[in-house]
Amino acid sequence: MSKSFYITTAIDYVNGRPHLGHAYEKVIADVIARAHRSFGESAFFLTGLDEHGQKVQQAALAEGKNPALYCDELAVIWQEVAAKLQLTNDDFVRTTQRRHKEVVQTILSKLYDEGQFYKALYEGFYSTKEETFLTEKDRRPDGTFDPMYGEVVRLQEENYYFKLREQQSWLIDYIEKNPSFVAPDYRRNEVLGFLKNNVLEDLCISRPAARLNWGIPLPFNTDYVTYVWFDALSNYITVPASRNDAGVPPQFHWHDVSSESSISVWPADIHLIGKDILKFHAVYWPIMLKAMGAPLPKQILVHGWWQKDGQRMSKSTGNVVDPVAIIDEWGVDAFRFYVVRELDIGPDGNWTDAGFRSRYSAELANGLGNLVNRSLSMLKRYREGKLRKISTELDPEATRVITETRSLLEKNELQRALITIWSLVTRANQYVDQTAPFKLAKEPAQADRLDEVLYNLAEVCRILAVLLWPFLPDTSSKIFQQLGLSGAPDKFQAAHWGGLAAGHTIGTPTPLFPRKETVPKEQTAQ
Ligand code: ME8
């Protein structure tokens, strides 16, 4: 079995419902996975949930539920949202699954046997909220700790530590020699800066079960559970390990491997994550993998954070953007389009309802929707939906857009790919205005010219459907259907001029993005 392209997302804490940030990350990963499949590669897309640890335990307790039941209930909702976003994930990992827990324990046992861990007494500060130990260095100039750490307590306890310190120079060297290991560049520089200016503390990989029991017991001392980040990061490899993956060192394969179908995906091609969890992925994770003797992922791709109206989204402020509400009102493709078009992978972004509505109306309803609807409606009206002759007038422009889109998708430049695709939408809408088919239709001497124009428009619509497949799968399928084409627009190789044959008859045009009243709801209600 040859190795598939493998993309993962962060696995989300199940301490609430998915918000815009979670949905954004998953949509980006889905676009990348779909693009690779469209290029004819096999791709494996993994997402899932991080269910152990203090945050989840506390959230469950706050609702008076035991954590297992709490997670089971929420996992259903998260998977429904994944389906609603039209994610094409090939697996969905939950860190409470037996396959994951057992492989994590195998990893821990092997590393313990090899002397990678040691036990030591810790005395100092601990943030329960962030589940992390703090030192004097973490104090602010006024002596307090950042409020993000919540309540900070003094603690004295024995724990197991993973030796990181001795890997520091190796990791710096690795990141310097592999410039694309962390992207974008400024995130790579951030990691290198951190590694060069700090001595790496060894990582505490346990929590006493007496204090926190919602976790995976350490196989060599069940008075402890595994630190949630050691547990969570492992998901990227426990899933392949539980599915007989040849890229995973055999000693980590799950003993019950026969119960899952085989895959060949490791090492991961892309771990897509948000900027806040960079250190875990670019420092701890490579060192864990090196200790396991497993090949490192090719890239950690880091996206920025969304704000709402210029403010951090938070449950307490009540300004969290709910992707489900947006999708229910505007459709899944409107959501997918806005998040990818508005925010490049890297910088931070800002959601405003006005910005969303404006893109919906300008780019989707009046741009793409109008182009497809008027092109196909005119073909229906003037030629009973039948293409009479082939023409290549817009071929050069379409071909340029196809080539550029492919190269941008290969570089994960999704926002620029959409901008490029929209240059074809705009060009084709101008072409309608310039050629004025509604006037040509009134002049019998222009019949040939009208046939040409209608062909160019229909063919541009077909090509747009193929280019848009990774981004707007629903819309792209609808365009294909309206063009009377069978099959899915899911193969990039179909993006070449001349796919529609003379004599082909299209289906029924229907608006793709209904125009919406843009007056805010509060005002209409009065
Ligand atoms: O960190 N904008 O889980 P999580 C964009 N379980 N992205 C955002 C965001 C925002 N406003 N808020 C969160 C965890 N994210 C761990 C991950 S992986 C082995 C374990 C992103 O639910 C965040 O950056 O807090 C992260 O990539 C993902 O959502 C999950 O965050």
Side-chain angles (χ1 to χ4, degrees):
M1 207 192 294
S2 64
K3 182 190 142 16
S4 303
F5 173 83
Y6 179 27
I7 181 161
T8 66
T9 67
I11 51 170
D12 306 319
Y13 287 125
V14 269
N15 56 355
R17 286 168 181 260
H19 62 55
L20 166 64
H22 299 125
Y24 167 67
E25 179 177 284
K26 277 56 187 178
V27 166
I28 293 182
D30 186 60
V31 173
I32 297 176
R34 282 178 187 261
H36 280 263
R37 295 195 198 103
S38 170
F39 296 156
E41 273 174 65
S42 87
F44 192 85
F45 166 21
L46 178 66
T47 186
L49 294 175
D50 189 356
E51 301 191 0
H52 289 129
Q54 191 117 23
K55 279 189 191 183
V56 177
Q57 188 176 29
Q58 279 172 349
L61 274 176
E63 290 198 12
K65 292 186 176 147
N66 87 44
L69 175 71
Y70 173 82
C71 290
D72 282 350
E73 286 175 1
L74 274 176
V76 173
I77 294 174
W78 282 75
Q79 287 183 79
E80 279 167 6
V81 174
K84 203 156 189 135
L85 289 165
Q86 301 212 346
L87 304 184
T88 53
N89 52 302
D90 298 276
D91 203 332
F92 190 92
V93 62
R94 298 181 54 196
T95 52
T96 47
Q97 287 164 340
R98 192 166 66 87
R99 59 175 181 173
H100 173 78
K101 291 191 287 188
E102 291 178 0
V103 176
V104 167
Q105 289 187 320
T106 308
I107 296 171
L108 287 163
S109 295
K110 302 276 178 211
L111 297 190
Y112 182 72
D113 292 347
E114 285 166 15
Q116 299 276 356
F117 303 145
Y118 63 91
K119 200 174 183 188
L121 182 73
Y122 172 82
E123 206 178 339
F125 303 103
Y126 187 72
S127 148
T128 330
K129 181 160 171 259
E130 289 302 311
E131 271 180 74
T132 194
F133 297 97
L134 301 171
T135 64
E136 287 297 338
K137 273 194 294 179
D138 297 306
R139 281 191 194 274
R140 297 189 296 185
D142 66 359
T144 59
F145 291 99
D146 194 299
M148 78 170 199
Y149 291 120
E151 189 196 2
V152 176
V153 291
R154 269 203 82 83
L155 202 76
Q156 193 193 44
E157 71 185 23
E158 276 201 302
N159 268 309
Y160 288 88
Y161 290 83
F162 176 35
K163 296 178 187 167
L164 298 188
R165 209 165 295 180
E166 47 205 59
Q167 302 300 335
Q168 189 155 358
S169 58
W170 160 77
L171 187 56
I172 293 173
D173 206 42
Y174 184 85
I175 298 174
E176 282 184 334
K177 287 201 178 113
N178 295 275
S180 57
F181 182 60
V182 180
D185 269 0
Y186 49 92
R187 295 292 174 209
R188 174 172 167 268
N189 294 339
E190 192 180 310
V191 177
L192 282 173
F194 167 78
L195 284 169
K196 286 178 178 173
N197 295 314
N198 293 282
V199 174
L200 261 190
E201 299 287 332
D202 289 345
L203 179 70
C204 178
I205 56 115
S206 64
R207 296 292 183 265
R211 184 158 70 74
L212 171 71
N213 61 13
W214 183 233
I216 304 175
L218 292 185
F220 44 85
N221 186 345
T222 51
D223 288 341
Y224 289 86
V225 296
T226 312
Y227 171 46
V228 68
W229 271 101
F230 194 99
D231 170 348
L233 287 164
S234 305
N235 92 86
Y236 304 132
I237 205 163
T238 60
V239 169
S242 68
R243 298 183 61 170
N244 210 17
D245 192 297
V248 177
Q251 68 265 35
F252 300 112
H253 280 207
W254 192 32
H255 62 90
D256 200 6
V257 74
S258 58
S259 61
E260 309 254 341
S261 58
S262 295
I263 53 174
S264 175
V265 302
W266 193 260
D269 292 84
I270 297 179
H271 290 317
L272 179 67
I273 56 157
K275 61 177 186 178
D276 58 319
I277 55 177
L278 175 59
K279 188 165 113 185
F280 296 98
H281 284 79
V283 177
Y284 302 154
W285 181 228
I287 297 178
M288 282 167 66
L289 287 167
K290 180 168 179 268
M292 290 166 65
L296 300 199
K298 299 201 182 104
Q299 184 168 78
I300 294 155
L301 183 57
V302 189
H303 65 76
W305 265 39
W306 282 93
Q307 294 192 326
K308 167 84 197 302
D309 300 327
Q311 281 190 317
R312 192 189 162 103
M313 283 192 294
S314 86
K315 277 189 225 163
S316 47
T317 325
N319 66 344
V320 176
V321 179
D322 172 9
V324 172
I326 304 289
I327 294 171
D328 287 345
E329 188 173 354
W330 300 84
V332 61
D333 280 357
F335 178 81
R336 290 175 64 111
F337 175 76
Y338 180 73
V339 291
V340 181
R341 175 63 187 79
E342 181 68 21
L343 184 55
D344 194 13
I345 304 178
D348 288 337
N350 186 28
W351 178 290
T352 62
D353 291 344
F356 175 84
R357 279 199 280 266
S358 146
R359 283 204 189 280
Y360 179 91
S361 137
E363 286 156 77
L364 294 178
N366 298 334
L368 178 66
N370 189 31
L371 172 68
V372 174
N373 199 247
R374 60 182 177 159
S375 300
L376 303 193
S377 298
M378 288 189 292
L379 183 56
K380 200 82 183 167
R381 195 172 321 130
Y382 305 138
R383 295 291 182 260
E384 291 86 43
K386 191 165 174 176
L387 291 166
R388 293 203 183 153
K389 65 186 290 194
I390 287 178
S391 164
T392 56
E393 200 173 344
L394 290 181
D395 173 352
E397 282 149 287
T399 302
R400 178 188 54 78
V401 167
I402 294 166
T403 314
E404 270 181 39
T405 303
R406 171 146 195 154
S407 119
L408 291 166
L409 282 174
E410 280 167 353
K411 293 184 278 185
N412 305 317
E413 296 202 29
L414 310 187
Q415 184 193 46
R416 283 186 61 201
L418 277 184
I419 293 172
T420 300
I421 295 170
W422 249 260
S423 72
L424 186 58
V425 172
T426 307
R427 170 67 187 111
N429 269 326
Q430 278 166 356
Y431 180 78
V432 177
D433 299 338
Q434 284 160 0
T435 57
F438 24 89
K439 285 190 192 148
L440 298 176
K442 290 184 190 140
E443 298 173 36
Q446 296 287 357
D448 261 13
R449 179 62 185 145
L450 180 60
D451 289 336
E452 277 173 19
V453 169
L454 292 174
Y455 183 89
N456 279 286
L457 290 172
E459 182 59 2
V460 164
C461 292
R462 190 190 67 82
I463 286 170
L464 285 171
V466 178
L467 299 182
L468 285 171
W469 166 256
F471 302 92
L472 312 180
D474 230 20
T475 305
S476 130
S477 302
K478 282 185 194 155
I479 299 176
F480 246 43
Q481 269 164 22
Q482 296 187 21
L483 280 166
L485 295 167
S486 55
D490 60 354
K491 289 174 192 62
F492 200 91
Q493 62 179 27
H496 63 82
W497 193 264
L500 287 170
H504 175 80
T505 303
I506 61 161
T508 314
T510 11
L512 293 169
F513 299 99
R515 288 200 175 81
K516 298 242 185 188
E517 182 56 71
T518 49
V519 183
K521 267 189 189 159
E522 322 68 269
Q523 289 180 23
T524 48
Q526 284 165 8

